[in-house]
Amino acid sequence: MTITLDARNLSLKDVQSLLKLTEQLNDSFTSLLSLTNLTEFEHQELQVIRNIYHEYYSEGKISEGQIKFLFLAPLLKLAGFYQSSIKITLEENIADISIEDEDANIKGRMDLLAVSKTQKRIVTTPFLILVIESKNSSFNALEGLPQLLTYAYKSLENQTSVWGVTTNGMDYQFVYMQQGNPPVYQLLPKLDITRSTSSIELLQVLKSICLL
């Protein structure tokens, strides 16, 4: 009998085992991306986002909905994701992932998905640029990693690589996943929006991913 597994209930060890994923640690974004300096306007807007985070966090837990609206949406807009060539999808169901050699399927929902709409030919499957999994501020950002890896893995059926990030509003944990036997995901340094230098790199990374 085939069982259905909810991606939200899987541990990192479960996901690595079921999907046969290999983890690699990468200490530098510049090994994968070309980061550019921010404009004065971008610095100012980033400071506004940092101030808003401090204000809300000082008052208590920040919900997933607030994180998406107050921090992710402004960051994605600043990074250039709000353009006609990119579609951002919210709270999408992912198709069942059938596990080879196991009587099991994985299913779940992703929080945010940036999809490139510009294609040289008509395709039925979109090219995923970035998959985002968010948690409220009381969670460690890494707790969203099993779900994020599950969603990113599904996209490798149709493309060679995909970027993903899981966040609790303050910390942003990026992963870069590539096709392979086994598939490999690189775990990049965690970025903190409350710290000036780290938040600058966060926006630089998002801008670079947007240009892929």
Side-chain angles (χ1 to χ4, degrees), residues 96-123:
D96 290 355
I97 300 175
S98 297
I99 308 302
E100 294 183 9
D101 304 321
E102 299 276 354
D103 290 327
N105 290 330
I106 301 177
K107 67 187 306 180
R109 295 175 68 86
M110 62 186 71
D111 284 338
L112 293 166
L113 170 65
V115 182
S116 172
K117 294 194 299 181
T118 302
Q119 300 285 350
K120 294 181 180 179
R121 56 188 175 84
I122 297 175
V123 294

Side-chain angles (χ1 to χ4, degrees), residues 110-188:
M110 62 186 71
D111 284 338
L112 293 166
L113 170 65
V115 182
S116 172
K117 294 194 299 181
T118 302
Q119 300 285 350
K120 294 181 180 179
R121 56 188 175 84
I122 297 175
V123 294
T124 57
T125 304
F127 179 82
L128 311 189
I129 304 173
L130 180 68
V131 179
I132 302 176
E133 173 64 23
S134 65
K135 299 292 183 184
N136 69 54
S137 61
S138 65
F139 283 86
N140 186 309
L142 281 172
E143 293 189 36
L145 188 57
Q147 286 175 263
L148 178 67
L149 293 176
T150 303
Y151 308 151
Y153 174 86
K154 182 64 180 177
S155 72
L156 295 185
E157 294 178 357
N158 306 293
Q159 61 193 74
T160 58
S161 64
V162 65
W163 278 90
V165 61
T166 177
T167 182
N168 59 6
M170 179 175 72
D171 296 322
Y172 293 75
Q173 178 62 68
F174 283 87
V175 298
Y176 177 67
M177 186 179 288
Q178 295 170 286
Q179 285 180 349
N181 189 19
V184 175
Y185 70 92
Q186 296 184 42
L187 203 60
L188 282 299

Side-chain angles (χ1 to χ4, degrees), residues 31-45:
S31 65
L32 298 169
L33 299 169
S34 178
L35 306 185
T36 59
N37 292 332
L38 302 185
T39 65
E40 183 60 31
F41 172 78
E42 289 167 339
H43 278 288
Q44 293 172 357
E45 291 299 299

Side-chain angles (χ1 to χ4, degrees), residues 82-108:
Y82 289 14
Q83 55 180 291
S84 59
S85 63
I86 296 176
K87 177 182 178 183
I88 296 178
T89 306
L90 307 178
E91 298 287 357
E92 279 291 297
N93 288 319
I94 61 170
D96 290 355
I97 300 175
S98 297
I99 308 302
E100 294 183 9
D101 304 321
E102 299 276 354
D103 290 327
N105 290 330
I106 301 177
K107 67 187 306 180

